[in-house]
Amino acid sequence: LQIFDAFKPRLHDSNSKVNQVALEALHKMIPLLKDNLSPVINMLIPAIVDNNLNSKNPGIYAAATNVIQALCQHVDTSLLLQPFCTKAQFLSGKAKQDLTEKLA
């Protein structure tokens, strides 16, 4: 938890390169941690989705999409259902469409 408390702000960093590298690092961590991410999943999903899925930066958008895909592949989907539904309700644009497709 302490590691992810420190890591989460990098997912919102105003420097796009830092933000993108944080997303890419998370993408590499997910297959290793799998369901051990359950204590932090409710913290991570908003951090991943809020700014990154609607980013105009193609690198950040691609990295965020890859992270969401990795979560769907490696984490128990029952852990993802509630946070995805909650975020999908309040998103707009491409992020809402992407998350709704993952929910379906």
Side-chain angles (χ1 to χ4, degrees), residues 24-94:
E24 290 168 355
L26 182 58
H27 180 254
K28 292 176 184 174
M29 286 189 277
I30 291 169
L32 301 172
L33 296 174
K34 298 183 181 180
D35 289 333
N36 294 321
L37 288 170
S38 61
V40 295
I41 206 77
N42 288 327
M43 169 186 26
L44 278 180
I45 289 178
I48 296 163
V49 171
D50 283 344
N51 297 323
N52 300 319
L53 273 184
N54 270 333
S55 178
K56 294 184 193 292
N57 181 322
I60 291 174
Y61 173 76
T65 304
N66 289 340
V67 168
I68 295 294
Q69 183 65 32
L71 284 170
C72 291
Q73 287 177 343
H74 298 286
V75 177
D76 182 12
T77 53
S78 65
L79 295 172
L80 301 174
L81 184 61
Q82 184 61 45
F84 277 7
C85 287
T86 302
K87 290 312 302 176
Q89 287 178 336
F90 301 105
L91 290 172
S92 62
K94 188 143 179 68

Side-chain angles (χ1 to χ4, degrees), residues 8-19:
K8 180 185 165 198
R10 301 298 66 87
L11 297 170
H12 290 291
D13 204 286
S14 59
N15 183 328
S16 61
K17 290 180 183 179
V18 170
N19 194 346

